[in-house]
Amino acid sequence: MDPNVTDLIHDFPLIFRIHKNGKIERYSVTHFVPPSHDPTTDVESKDVVISPEKPISARLFLPKNATPNRKLPVFIYIHGGGFSIESAFSPTYHNYLNTLIAEAKAIAVSIEYRLAPEHAIPACYDDCWEAIKWVELHVSGQGPDPWLNEFANFDRVFLAGDSAGANIAHNMAIRAGLGESCSGIKIDGLILVHPFFGNDEPDKLWSFICPETTGLTDPRLNPAADLDSLLKLGCNKVLVCTAAKDFLRGRGLHYYETVKKINWKGEIEILDIDEEGHVFHLFNPMSENAVLLMKKIVDFMKHYGD
């Protein structure tokens, strides 16, 4: 029998497993690509350090023909991967953001946060909140990054993410709505693509990587568990994106229906795509439905407030 299987103490298929000696083995290796000028989209990217101690960093994306006299929306993106895998610096997310930013004509901040299980939840939430606060440092035009100082419109900020990243983005909007200091920027929209939320069954991965959780009543996993906080969602508009063959589809639909029922002050809409699975757009970004999803996201950003 394979000793790599017999000495396991925890196994989360497709994500990671842990051996008796404490070794953490991820099922897939994340490759990294450097920031660059992308010749196809003409988008420039660069990396910034937000907190060297933790560490927290981000990749910034700037579309072509950006000028200081026409400020760009700010697109803060949080990658998915079960809170445990993937990276803002992987080819998957680097290429996707290049294309999206070229279409949306926005400046993007793609956050590189600490991963579980080495860093248990709430590390990912705290890291992303710190990154948002770092973005806020630029409102005066005197922040540490010249791109944000020169080109960013802090009255048009969008939070977005896929899967676990969508969960984190939602929780960042909750923090903003509950009054944690974030007064310098205005979160216009929240974009949740195939969000990782809980349902009425225990989630083994969540319980392991979030040892302090209250389980099914934890509003970070199950937003419907705290309707008072959900009513204070700190943005003006939400776009929920689901896919018919996604195992998380029902949870995204439930989120959408719950927010509609509680008479939240903002607007919420949904895009449900047939014949596709979880984060299909990342695996097949040139497919017809991936193009449809990107168009919806771009239209959501461009047309908001028109």
Side-chain angles (χ1 to χ4, degrees), residues 7-69:
D7 76 344
L8 293 180
I9 56 174
H10 297 287
D11 190 5
F12 300 97
L14 303 180
I15 304 177
F16 65 84
R17 57 188 186 177
I18 301 180
H19 299 264
K20 289 179 182 177
N21 63 5
K23 177 185 176 183
I24 298 168
E25 182 183 4
R26 287 175 167 83
Y27 277 89
S28 61
V29 176
T30 298
H31 300 282
F32 300 92
V33 294
S36 62
H37 169 261
D38 181 62
T40 302
T41 62
D42 222 6
V43 169
E44 295 276 356
S45 58
K46 65 177 177 179
D47 294 343
V48 296
V49 175
I50 293 169
S51 170
E53 295 82 14
K54 288 186 177 178
I56 311 168
S57 55
R59 179 157 293 178
L60 274 56
F61 296 81
L62 187 70
K64 66 177 180 179
N65 300 328
T67 58
N69 61 356

Short mmCIF file of all heavy atoms in Angstrom, two decimals, residues 7-69:
data_model
loop_
_atom_site.label_atom_id
_atom_site.label_comp_id
_atom_site.label_asym_id
_atom_site.label_seq_id
_atom_site.Cartn_x
_atom_site.Cartn_y
_atom_site.Cartn_z
N ASP A 7 -0.23 7.20 5.75
CA ASP A 7 0.18 8.06 6.87
C ASP A 7 -0.58 9.39 6.89
O ASP A 7 -0.18 10.33 7.56
CB ASP A 7 1.69 8.31 6.84
CG ASP A 7 2.11 9.31 5.77
OD1 ASP A 7 1.32 9.59 4.86
OD2 ASP A 7 3.24 9.82 5.87
N LEU A 8 -1.68 9.48 6.15
CA LEU A 8 -2.46 10.71 6.13
C LEU A 8 -3.29 10.87 7.39
O LEU A 8 -3.88 9.90 7.89
CB LEU A 8 -3.38 10.73 4.91
CG LEU A 8 -2.73 10.82 3.53
CD1 LEU A 8 -3.81 10.82 2.45
CD2 LEU A 8 -1.87 12.07 3.42
N ILE A 9 -3.36 12.09 7.88
CA ILE A 9 -4.28 12.39 8.99
C ILE A 9 -5.41 13.31 8.54
O ILE A 9 -6.45 13.36 9.19
CB ILE A 9 -3.54 12.99 10.20
CG1 ILE A 9 -2.76 14.25 9.81
CG2 ILE A 9 -2.60 11.96 10.81
CD1 ILE A 9 -2.14 14.97 10.99
N HIS A 10 -5.21 14.04 7.45
CA HIS A 10 -6.27 14.88 6.87
C HIS A 10 -6.12 14.84 5.36
O HIS A 10 -5.00 14.89 4.84
CB HIS A 10 -6.16 16.33 7.35
CG HIS A 10 -6.34 16.50 8.82
ND1 HIS A 10 -7.56 16.37 9.45
CD2 HIS A 10 -5.43 16.77 9.80
CE1 HIS A 10 -7.41 16.56 10.75
NE2 HIS A 10 -6.13 16.81 10.98
N ASP A 11 -7.25 14.77 4.67
CA ASP A 11 -7.22 14.73 3.21
C ASP A 11 -8.40 15.49 2.65
O ASP A 11 -9.56 15.14 2.92
CB ASP A 11 -7.26 13.28 2.72
CG ASP A 11 -6.99 13.17 1.22
OD1 ASP A 11 -6.66 14.20 0.60
OD2 ASP A 11 -7.11 12.05 0.68
N PHE A 12 -8.12 16.56 1.94
CA PHE A 12 -9.14 17.35 1.26
C PHE A 12 -8.87 17.28 -0.23
O PHE A 12 -8.03 18.03 -0.75
CB PHE A 12 -9.13 18.80 1.78
CG PHE A 12 -9.38 18.90 3.25
CD1 PHE A 12 -8.31 19.01 4.15
CD2 PHE A 12 -10.66 18.85 3.75
CE1 PHE A 12 -8.54 19.08 5.51
CE2 PHE A 12 -10.91 18.93 5.12
CZ PHE A 12 -9.84 19.04 6.00
N PRO A 13 -9.52 16.34 -0.92
CA PRO A 13 -9.22 16.08 -2.33
C PRO A 13 -9.23 17.34 -3.19
O PRO A 13 -10.06 18.24 -3.00
CB PRO A 13 -10.33 15.11 -2.75
CG PRO A 13 -10.68 14.40 -1.48
CD PRO A 13 -10.56 15.46 -0.40
N LEU A 14 -8.26 17.40 -4.09
CA LEU A 14 -8.04 18.49 -5.04
C LEU A 14 -7.45 19.73 -4.39
O LEU A 14 -7.07 20.67 -5.09
CB LEU A 14 -9.33 18.87 -5.78
CG LEU A 14 -10.02 17.75 -6.57
CD1 LEU A 14 -11.27 18.29 -7.25
CD2 LEU A 14 -9.08 17.14 -7.59
N ILE A 15 -7.33 19.74 -3.05
CA ILE A 15 -6.81 20.94 -2.39
C ILE A 15 -5.49 20.60 -1.67
O ILE A 15 -4.42 20.94 -2.15
CB ILE A 15 -7.85 21.54 -1.42
CG1 ILE A 15 -9.15 21.86 -2.18
CG2 ILE A 15 -7.31 22.82 -0.79
CD1 ILE A 15 -10.26 22.38 -1.32
N PHE A 16 -5.56 19.91 -0.53
CA PHE A 16 -4.33 19.53 0.16
C PHE A 16 -4.60 18.33 1.07
O PHE A 16 -5.74 18.00 1.37
CB PHE A 16 -3.75 20.69 0.98
CG PHE A 16 -4.61 21.14 2.14
CD1 PHE A 16 -4.56 20.49 3.37
CD2 PHE A 16 -5.46 22.22 2.00
CE1 PHE A 16 -5.35 20.90 4.43
CE2 PHE A 16 -6.27 22.65 3.06
CZ PHE A 16 -6.20 21.98 4.28
N ARG A 17 -3.49 17.71 1.48
CA ARG A 17 -3.58 16.66 2.48
C ARG A 17 -2.42 16.82 3.45
O ARG A 17 -1.38 17.42 3.11
CB ARG A 17 -3.58 15.28 1.84
CG ARG A 17 -2.39 14.95 0.94
CD ARG A 17 -2.64 13.64 0.23
NE ARG A 17 -1.47 13.20 -0.54
CZ ARG A 17 -1.42 12.04 -1.20
NH1 ARG A 17 -2.44 11.21 -1.18
NH2 ARG A 17 -0.33 11.71 -1.88
N ILE A 18 -2.59 16.29 4.67
CA ILE A 18 -1.59 16.46 5.72
C ILE A 18 -1.17 15.09 6.23
O ILE A 18 -2.02 14.23 6.52
CB ILE A 18 -2.14 17.33 6.87
CG1 ILE A 18 -2.54 18.71 6.33
CG2 ILE A 18 -1.09 17.47 7.97
CD1 ILE A 18 -3.10 19.64 7.39
N HIS A 19 0.14 14.89 6.33
CA HIS A 19 0.70 13.63 6.79
C HIS A 19 0.93 13.65 8.31
O HIS A 19 0.90 14.71 8.94
CB HIS A 19 2.02 13.36 6.07
CG HIS A 19 1.86 13.24 4.58
ND1 HIS A 19 1.72 12.05 3.92
CD2 HIS A 19 1.81 14.20 3.60
CE1 HIS A 19 1.60 12.25 2.62
NE2 HIS A 19 1.64 13.55 2.40
N LYS A 20 1.16 12.48 8.86
CA LYS A 20 1.36 12.35 10.30
C LYS A 20 2.53 13.17 10.79
O LYS A 20 2.54 13.65 11.93
CB LYS A 20 1.55 10.88 10.67
CG LYS A 20 0.29 10.04 10.56
CD LYS A 20 0.58 8.59 10.93
CE LYS A 20 -0.69 7.74 10.77
NZ LYS A 20 -0.41 6.31 11.07
N ASN A 21 3.53 13.35 9.94
CA ASN A 21 4.70 14.12 10.35
C ASN A 21 4.49 15.63 10.22
O ASN A 21 5.41 16.41 10.44
CB ASN A 21 5.93 13.70 9.55
CG ASN A 21 5.79 13.97 8.05
OD1 ASN A 21 4.80 14.56 7.60
ND2 ASN A 21 6.78 13.54 7.28
N GLY A 22 3.27 16.03 9.84
CA GLY A 22 2.94 17.44 9.72
C GLY A 22 3.15 18.02 8.34
O GLY A 22 2.81 19.18 8.09
N LYS A 23 3.70 17.24 7.43
CA LYS A 23 3.93 17.73 6.07
C LYS A 23 2.60 18.03 5.38
O LYS A 23 1.68 17.22 5.37
CB LYS A 23 4.70 16.70 5.25
CG LYS A 23 4.92 17.11 3.80
CD LYS A 23 5.59 16.00 3.00
CE LYS A 23 5.71 16.37 1.53
NZ LYS A 23 6.30 15.27 0.73
N ILE A 24 2.53 19.21 4.78
CA ILE A 24 1.35 19.63 4.02
C ILE A 24 1.66 19.44 2.54
O ILE A 24 2.65 19.97 2.03
CB ILE A 24 0.98 21.09 4.31
CG1 ILE A 24 0.63 21.26 5.80
CG2 ILE A 24 -0.18 21.54 3.43
CD1 ILE A 24 0.52 22.70 6.24
N GLU A 25 0.82 18.68 1.86
CA GLU A 25 1.04 18.37 0.45
C GLU A 25 -0.17 18.85 -0.36
O GLU A 25 -1.28 18.34 -0.19
CB GLU A 25 1.22 16.87 0.27
CG GLU A 25 1.49 16.44 -1.17
CD GLU A 25 1.59 14.93 -1.30
OE1 GLU A 25 1.38 14.21 -0.30
OE2 GLU A 25 1.87 14.48 -2.42
N ARG A 26 0.06 19.84 -1.21
CA ARG A 26 -1.02 20.32 -2.06
C ARG A 26 -1.12 19.44 -3.31
O ARG A 26 -0.11 18.97 -3.82
CB ARG A 26 -0.80 21.79 -2.43
CG ARG A 26 -1.08 22.71 -1.25
CD ARG A 26 -0.76 24.16 -1.53
NE ARG A 26 -1.32 25.01 -0.49
CZ ARG A 26 -0.73 25.25 0.68
NH1 ARG A 26 0.45 24.72 0.94
NH2 ARG A 26 -1.31 26.03 1.58
N TYR A 27 -2.35 19.27 -3.77
CA TYR A 27 -2.57 18.39 -4.92
C TYR A 27 -2.07 19.00 -6.22
O TYR A 27 -1.80 18.29 -7.18
CB TYR A 27 -4.05 18.05 -5.04
CG TYR A 27 -4.47 16.91 -4.14
CD1 TYR A 27 -4.91 17.16 -2.84
CD2 TYR A 27 -4.42 15.59 -4.58
CE1 TYR A 27 -5.30 16.13 -2.00
CE2 TYR A 27 -4.81 14.55 -3.75
CZ TYR A 27 -5.24 14.82 -2.46
OH TYR A 27 -5.61 13.79 -1.64
N SER A 28 -1.98 20.30 -6.27
CA SER A 28 -1.48 20.95 -7.48
C SER A 28 -0.41 21.96 -7.10
O SER A 28 -0.48 22.59 -6.04
CB SER A 28 -2.61 21.64 -8.25
OG SER A 28 -3.21 22.65 -7.45
N VAL A 29 0.56 22.11 -7.97
CA VAL A 29 1.64 23.07 -7.75
C VAL A 29 1.27 24.37 -8.47
O VAL A 29 0.95 24.37 -9.66
CB VAL A 29 2.98 22.53 -8.29
CG1 VAL A 29 4.07 23.58 -8.15
CG2 VAL A 29 3.35 21.25 -7.55
N THR A 30 1.31 25.46 -7.74
CA THR A 30 1.02 26.76 -8.35
C THR A 30 2.30 27.33 -8.95
O THR A 30 3.31 27.49 -8.26
CB THR A 30 0.46 27.73 -7.30
OG1 THR A 30 -0.77 27.22 -6.79
CG2 THR A 30 0.19 29.10 -7.94
N HIS A 31 2.25 27.62 -10.22
CA HIS A 31 3.37 28.26 -10.89
C HIS A 31 3.20 29.78 -10.84
O HIS A 31 2.08 30.28 -10.67
CB HIS A 31 3.47 27.77 -12.33
CG HIS A 31 3.68 26.29 -12.43
ND1 HIS A 31 4.91 25.70 -12.21
CD2 HIS A 31 2.82 25.28 -12.72
CE1 HIS A 31 4.81 24.40 -12.35
NE2 HIS A 31 3.55 24.11 -12.67
N PHE A 32 4.27 30.49 -10.99
CA PHE A 32 4.24 31.94 -10.88
C PHE A 32 4.80 32.56 -12.15
O PHE A 32 5.75 32.03 -12.75
CB PHE A 32 5.05 32.41 -9.67
CG PHE A 32 4.55 31.87 -8.36
CD1 PHE A 32 5.06 30.69 -7.83
CD2 PHE A 32 3.54 32.53 -7.66
CE1 PHE A 32 4.59 30.17 -6.64
CE2 PHE A 32 3.07 32.03 -6.47
CZ PHE A 32 3.59 30.85 -5.96
N VAL A 33 4.21 33.67 -12.55
CA VAL A 33 4.73 34.44 -13.68
C VAL A 33 5.04 35.85 -13.18
O VAL A 33 4.35 36.37 -12.30
CB VAL A 33 3.73 34.48 -14.85
CG1 VAL A 33 3.53 33.10 -15.44
CG2 VAL A 33 2.39 35.08 -14.42
N PRO A 34 6.06 36.47 -13.73
CA PRO A 34 6.41 37.82 -13.29
C PRO A 34 5.45 38.86 -13.86
O PRO A 34 4.77 38.61 -14.85
CB PRO A 34 7.82 38.01 -13.85
CG PRO A 34 7.84 37.15 -15.08
CD PRO A 34 7.00 35.96 -14.74
N PRO A 35 5.38 40.03 -13.25
CA PRO A 35 4.62 41.12 -13.87
C PRO A 35 5.28 41.51 -15.18
O PRO A 35 6.46 41.25 -15.40
CB PRO A 35 4.70 42.23 -12.83
CG PRO A 35 5.97 41.94 -12.07
CD PRO A 35 6.09 40.44 -12.04
N SER A 36 4.50 42.15 -16.05
CA SER A 36 5.04 42.39 -17.38
C SER A 36 4.18 43.40 -18.14
O SER A 36 3.13 43.84 -17.65
CB SER A 36 5.07 41.08 -18.18
OG SER A 36 3.75 40.57 -18.34
N HIS A 37 4.63 43.71 -19.33
CA HIS A 37 3.78 44.36 -20.31
C HIS A 37 3.21 43.26 -21.19
O HIS A 37 3.96 42.50 -21.82
CB HIS A 37 4.55 45.36 -21.15
CG HIS A 37 3.77 45.86 -22.33
ND1 HIS A 37 3.94 45.35 -23.61
CD2 HIS A 37 2.79 46.79 -22.42
CE1 HIS A 37 3.11 45.95 -24.44
NE2 HIS A 37 2.40 46.83 -23.75
N ASP A 38 1.88 43.13 -21.21
CA ASP A 38 1.25 42.08 -22.00
C ASP A 38 1.04 42.60 -23.42
O ASP A 38 0.27 43.55 -23.63
CB ASP A 38 -0.09 41.69 -21.37
CG ASP A 38 -0.76 40.58 -22.15
OD1 ASP A 38 -0.19 39.49 -22.26
OD2 ASP A 38 -1.87 40.82 -22.68
N PRO A 39 1.68 42.00 -24.41
CA PRO A 39 1.59 42.53 -25.78
C PRO A 39 0.21 42.37 -26.40
O PRO A 39 -0.14 43.13 -27.30
CB PRO A 39 2.64 41.72 -26.54
CG PRO A 39 2.80 40.46 -25.75
CD PRO A 39 2.58 40.83 -24.33
N THR A 40 -0.56 41.40 -25.93
CA THR A 40 -1.88 41.18 -26.52
C THR A 40 -2.88 42.24 -26.08
O THR A 40 -3.65 42.77 -26.90
CB THR A 40 -2.40 39.78 -26.13
OG1 THR A 40 -1.47 38.79 -26.57
CG2 THR A 40 -3.76 39.51 -26.76
N THR A 41 -2.88 42.57 -24.79
CA THR A 41 -3.85 43.53 -24.26
C THR A 41 -3.28 44.92 -24.05
O THR A 41 -4.02 45.87 -23.81
CB THR A 41 -4.39 43.03 -22.92
OG1 THR A 41 -3.29 42.93 -21.98
CG2 THR A 41 -5.05 41.67 -23.07
N ASP A 42 -1.95 45.04 -24.10
CA ASP A 42 -1.26 46.30 -23.83
C ASP A 42 -1.43 46.76 -22.37
O ASP A 42 -1.37 47.95 -22.07
CB ASP A 42 -1.74 47.41 -24.78
CG ASP A 42 -0.59 48.26 -25.30
OD1 ASP A 42 0.57 47.91 -25.00
OD2 ASP A 42 -0.86 49.26 -25.98
N VAL A 43 -1.68 45.81 -21.49
CA VAL A 43 -1.81 46.10 -20.06
C VAL A 43 -0.46 45.94 -19.39
O VAL A 43 0.26 44.97 -19.63
CB VAL A 43 -2.86 45.17 -19.41
CG1 VAL A 43 -2.82 45.29 -17.89
CG2 VAL A 43 -4.26 45.50 -19.94
N GLU A 44 -0.11 46.90 -18.54
CA GLU A 44 1.11 46.83 -17.74
C GLU A 44 0.78 46.27 -16.36
O GLU A 44 -0.28 46.55 -15.81
CB GLU A 44 1.71 48.23 -17.56
CG GLU A 44 2.21 48.88 -18.82
CD GLU A 44 3.62 48.43 -19.19
OE1 GLU A 44 4.23 47.67 -18.40
OE2 GLU A 44 4.10 48.84 -20.26
N SER A 45 1.69 45.49 -15.79
CA SER A 45 1.51 45.01 -14.43
C SER A 45 2.80 45.14 -13.65
O SER A 45 3.90 45.18 -14.22
CB SER A 45 1.01 43.56 -14.41
OG SER A 45 1.90 42.70 -15.08
N LYS A 46 2.67 45.24 -12.34
CA LYS A 46 3.82 45.29 -11.44
C LYS A 46 3.38 44.78 -10.08
O LYS A 46 2.18 44.74 -9.76
CB LYS A 46 4.38 46.71 -11.32
CG LYS A 46 3.43 47.72 -10.66
CD LYS A 46 4.10 49.08 -10.53
CE LYS A 46 3.15 50.12 -9.94
NZ LYS A 46 3.80 51.43 -9.79
N ASP A 47 4.34 44.39 -9.27
CA ASP A 47 4.06 43.87 -7.94
C ASP A 47 4.44 44.88 -6.87
O ASP A 47 5.43 45.61 -7.01
CB ASP A 47 4.81 42.56 -7.70
CG ASP A 47 4.33 41.44 -8.59
OD1 ASP A 47 3.22 41.56 -9.16
OD2 ASP A 47 5.05 40.44 -8.73
N VAL A 48 3.65 44.90 -5.80
CA VAL A 48 3.91 45.80 -4.67
C VAL A 48 3.85 45.00 -3.38
O VAL A 48 3.11 44.02 -3.28
CB VAL A 48 2.90 46.96 -4.62
CG1 VAL A 48 3.03 47.85 -5.85
CG2 VAL A 48 1.46 46.45 -4.48
N VAL A 49 4.63 45.42 -2.41
CA VAL A 49 4.62 44.81 -1.09
C VAL A 49 3.76 45.67 -0.17
O VAL A 49 3.97 46.87 -0.05
CB VAL A 49 6.05 44.69 -0.53
CG1 VAL A 49 6.02 44.15 0.90
CG2 VAL A 49 6.89 43.77 -1.42
N ILE A 50 2.79 45.03 0.46
CA ILE A 50 1.90 45.74 1.36
C ILE A 50 2.34 45.55 2.80
O ILE A 50 2.33 46.49 3.59
CB ILE A 50 0.44 45.25 1.16
CG1 ILE A 50 -0.04 45.69 -0.24
CG2 ILE A 50 -0.48 45.77 2.25
CD1 ILE A 50 -1.34 45.06 -0.67
N SER A 51 2.74 44.33 3.16
CA SER A 51 3.26 44.06 4.49
C SER A 51 4.33 42.98 4.37
O SER A 51 4.02 41.80 4.17
CB SER A 51 2.15 43.57 5.43
OG SER A 51 2.69 43.09 6.65
N PRO A 52 5.60 43.35 4.48
CA PRO A 52 6.67 42.35 4.33
C PRO A 52 6.70 41.35 5.48
O PRO A 52 7.20 40.24 5.32
CB PRO A 52 7.94 43.20 4.29
CG PRO A 52 7.58 44.49 4.95
CD PRO A 52 6.12 44.71 4.67
N GLU A 53 6.16 41.72 6.63
CA GLU A 53 6.24 40.85 7.79
C GLU A 53 5.32 39.64 7.67
O GLU A 53 5.66 38.53 8.04
CB GLU A 53 5.90 41.62 9.07
CG GLU A 53 6.89 42.72 9.42
CD GLU A 53 6.64 44.00 8.65
OE1 GLU A 53 5.54 44.12 8.04
OE2 GLU A 53 7.53 44.87 8.63
N LYS A 54 4.12 39.83 7.09
CA LYS A 54 3.13 38.75 7.16
C LYS A 54 3.36 37.58 6.21
O LYS A 54 3.20 36.43 6.69
CB LYS A 54 1.74 39.37 7.00
CG LYS A 54 1.34 40.15 8.24
CD LYS A 54 -0.08 40.64 8.16
CE LYS A 54 -0.45 41.34 9.46
NZ LYS A 54 -1.81 41.90 9.42
N PRO A 55 3.68 37.65 4.97
CA PRO A 55 3.71 38.83 4.10
C PRO A 55 2.39 38.99 3.33
O PRO A 55 1.65 38.02 3.14
CB PRO A 55 4.83 38.47 3.12
CG PRO A 55 4.71 36.97 3.00
CD PRO A 55 4.21 36.45 4.32
N ILE A 56 2.14 40.21 2.89
CA ILE A 56 1.00 40.51 2.01
C ILE A 56 1.54 41.32 0.84
O ILE A 56 2.33 42.25 1.04
CB ILE A 56 -0.09 41.33 2.71
CG1 ILE A 56 -0.46 40.74 4.07
CG2 ILE A 56 -1.33 41.44 1.83
CD1 ILE A 56 -1.31 41.67 4.92
N SER A 57 1.12 40.98 -0.36
CA SER A 57 1.54 41.73 -1.53
C SER A 57 0.38 41.79 -2.52
O SER A 57 -0.71 41.29 -2.26
CB SER A 57 2.78 41.10 -2.16
OG SER A 57 2.56 39.73 -2.45
N ALA A 58 0.61 42.40 -3.65
CA ALA A 58 -0.44 42.50 -4.66
C ALA A 58 0.20 42.72 -6.02
O ALA A 58 1.33 43.22 -6.13
CB ALA A 58 -1.39 43.65 -4.35
N ARG A 59 -0.53 42.36 -7.05
CA ARG A 59 -0.14 42.67 -8.42
C ARG A 59 -1.09 43.75 -8.94
O ARG A 59 -2.31 43.59 -8.88
CB ARG A 59 -0.19 41.44 -9.31
CG ARG A 59 0.20 41.72 -10.77
CD ARG A 59 0.69 40.47 -11.48
NE ARG A 59 1.97 40.02 -10.89
CZ ARG A 59 2.61 38.93 -11.28
NH1 ARG A 59 2.13 38.15 -12.25
NH2 ARG A 59 3.77 38.60 -10.72
N LEU A 60 -0.52 44.84 -9.44
CA LEU A 60 -1.30 45.94 -9.99
C LEU A 60 -1.31 45.85 -11.51
O LEU A 60 -0.31 45.48 -12.12
CB LEU A 60 -0.72 47.29 -9.56
CG LEU A 60 -1.19 47.86 -8.21
CD1 LEU A 60 -0.94 46.88 -7.07
CD2 LEU A 60 -0.50 49.20 -7.93
N PHE A 61 -2.45 46.20 -12.10
CA PHE A 61 -2.63 46.18 -13.55
C PHE A 61 -3.12 47.55 -14.00
O PHE A 61 -4.06 48.10 -13.42
CB PHE A 61 -3.66 45.12 -13.95
CG PHE A 61 -3.27 43.71 -13.63
CD1 PHE A 61 -3.42 43.20 -12.35
CD2 PHE A 61 -2.74 42.88 -14.62
CE1 PHE A 61 -3.07 41.89 -12.05
CE2 PHE A 61 -2.38 41.56 -14.33
CZ PHE A 61 -2.54 41.07 -13.05
N LEU A 62 -2.49 48.06 -15.05
CA LEU A 62 -2.85 49.37 -15.58
C LEU A 62 -3.11 49.26 -17.08
O LEU A 62 -2.25 48.80 -17.84
CB LEU A 62 -1.71 50.36 -15.34
CG LEU A 62 -1.99 51.83 -15.68
CD1 LEU A 62 -3.00 52.43 -14.70
CD2 LEU A 62 -0.70 52.64 -15.65
N PRO A 63 -4.30 49.67 -17.55
CA PRO A 63 -4.60 49.56 -18.98
C PRO A 63 -3.86 50.61 -19.79
O PRO A 63 -3.38 51.62 -19.25
CB PRO A 63 -6.11 49.78 -19.03
CG PRO A 63 -6.40 50.65 -17.85
CD PRO A 63 -5.43 50.22 -16.78
N LYS A 64 -3.80 50.39 -21.09
CA LYS A 64 -3.11 51.33 -21.97
C LYS A 64 -3.86 52.67 -22.01
O LYS A 64 -5.05 52.75 -21.71
CB LYS A 64 -2.99 50.77 -23.38
CG LYS A 64 -4.32 50.58 -24.11
CD LYS A 64 -4.09 50.09 -25.53
CE LYS A 64 -5.42 49.90 -26.27
NZ LYS A 64 -5.23 49.44 -27.66
N ASN A 65 -3.12 53.70 -22.35
CA ASN A 65 -3.67 55.05 -22.52
C ASN A 65 -4.25 55.63 -21.24
O ASN A 65 -5.10 56.52 -21.29
CB ASN A 65 -4.73 55.08 -23.62
CG ASN A 65 -4.18 54.65 -24.96
OD1 ASN A 65 -3.01 54.88 -25.27
ND2 ASN A 65 -5.01 54.00 -25.78
N ALA A 66 -3.82 55.14 -20.07
CA ALA A 66 -4.26 55.74 -18.81
C ALA A 66 -3.65 57.13 -18.67
O ALA A 66 -2.46 57.33 -18.94
CB ALA A 66 -3.84 54.87 -17.64
N THR A 67 -4.48 58.09 -18.27
CA THR A 67 -4.01 59.46 -18.10
C THR A 67 -4.53 60.01 -16.77
O THR A 67 -5.66 59.70 -16.38
CB THR A 67 -4.50 60.39 -19.23
OG1 THR A 67 -5.94 60.35 -19.27
CG2 THR A 67 -3.95 59.94 -20.57
N PRO A 68 -3.74 60.83 -16.09
CA PRO A 68 -4.16 61.35 -14.79
C PRO A 68 -5.43 62.20 -14.85
O PRO A 68 -6.14 62.33 -13.84
CB PRO A 68 -2.96 62.20 -14.34
CG PRO A 68 -1.80 61.64 -15.09
CD PRO A 68 -2.35 61.21 -16.42
N ASN A 69 -5.73 62.80 -16.00
CA ASN A 69 -6.91 63.66 -16.07
C ASN A 69 -8.21 62.89 -16.28
O ASN A 69 -9.28 63.48 -16.32
CB ASN A 69 -6.74 64.72 -17.16
CG ASN A 69 -6.58 64.12 -18.55
OD1 ASN A 69 -6.51 62.90 -18.69
ND2 ASN A 69 -6.49 64.97 -19.55
#
